[in-house]
């Protein structure tokens, strides 16, 4: 899932980089898209590290405590990516109109609530 979301964020970043618009809001969205991309890519690398270390035939002995660092880094990257992406969704409508901005903000907040509920349960 992080690979898919990271790819989406990278595509959004690339589109914003070639955009002719130079508004403050689009610059904020570009920074958030870059942050989201970095978070998801960090998660992919951390989880790949765990996958390699836990695969039969890995050339070193691995203690379970040795997996804590990539696990924490992967979790933090995922959280940063999700929160950045949800903020992008919330701000995106404000580039068009006040009504669209309110709609995208409400959708983003509802999604955040559902994300937090699913993460806790």
């Amino acid at each position: 899932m992080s690979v898919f979301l990271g790819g989406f964020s990278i595509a959004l970043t690339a589109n914003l980089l070639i955009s002719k618009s130079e508004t403050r809001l689009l610059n904020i969205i570009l920074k958030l898209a870059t942050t989201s991309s970095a978070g998801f890519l960090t998660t992919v690398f951390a989880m790949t590290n765990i996958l390699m270390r836990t695969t039969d035939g890995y050339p070193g002995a691995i203690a379970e405590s040795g997996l804590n660092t990539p696990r924490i880094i992967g979790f933090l990257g995922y959280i940063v990516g999700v929160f950045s992406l949800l903020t992008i969704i919330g701000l995106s409508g404000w580039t068009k109109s006040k009504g669209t901005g309110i709609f995208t903000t409400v959708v983003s907040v509802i999604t955040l609530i559902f994300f937090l509920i699913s993460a806790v349960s």
Side-chain angles (χ1 to χ4, degrees):
M1 184 166 55
S2 293
V3 171
F4 171 73
L5 293 173
F8 174 77
S9 298
I10 291 168
L12 178 61
T13 302
N15 281 325
L16 289 171
L17 282 173
I18 62 171
S19 172
K20 301 289 185 205
S21 292
E22 284 293 328
T23 66
R24 182 172 183 259
L25 184 57
L26 282 178
N27 285 333
I28 291 169
I29 292 172
L30 173 62
K31 290 173 185 176
L32 286 166
T34 304
T35 303
S36 179
S37 301
F40 288 127
L41 284 176
T42 300
T43 300
V44 170
F45 296 142
M47 294 304 140
T48 300
N49 184 340
I50 292 172
L51 180 66
M52 288 181 359
R53 289 180 177 201
T54 57
T55 300
D56 287 337
Y58 185 74
I62 300 298
E64 188 173 335
S65 62
L67 301 176
N68 286 339
T69 301
R71 185 181 300 145
I72 291 168
I73 290 171
F75 173 76
L76 292 175
Y78 184 73
I79 293 299
V80 166
V82 168
F83 284 172
S84 298
L85 197 56
L86 288 175
T87 306
I88 292 168
I89 292 169
L91 291 177
S92 64
W94 294 99
T95 63
K96 298 295 177 191
S97 68
K98 182 178 179 179
T100 305
I102 291 170
F103 175 79
T104 57
T105 300
V106 168
V107 168
S108 181
V109 169
I110 290 170
T111 305
L112 175 63
I113 291 168
F114 287 157
F115 173 76
L116 293 174
I117 290 171
S118 69
V120 172
S121 55

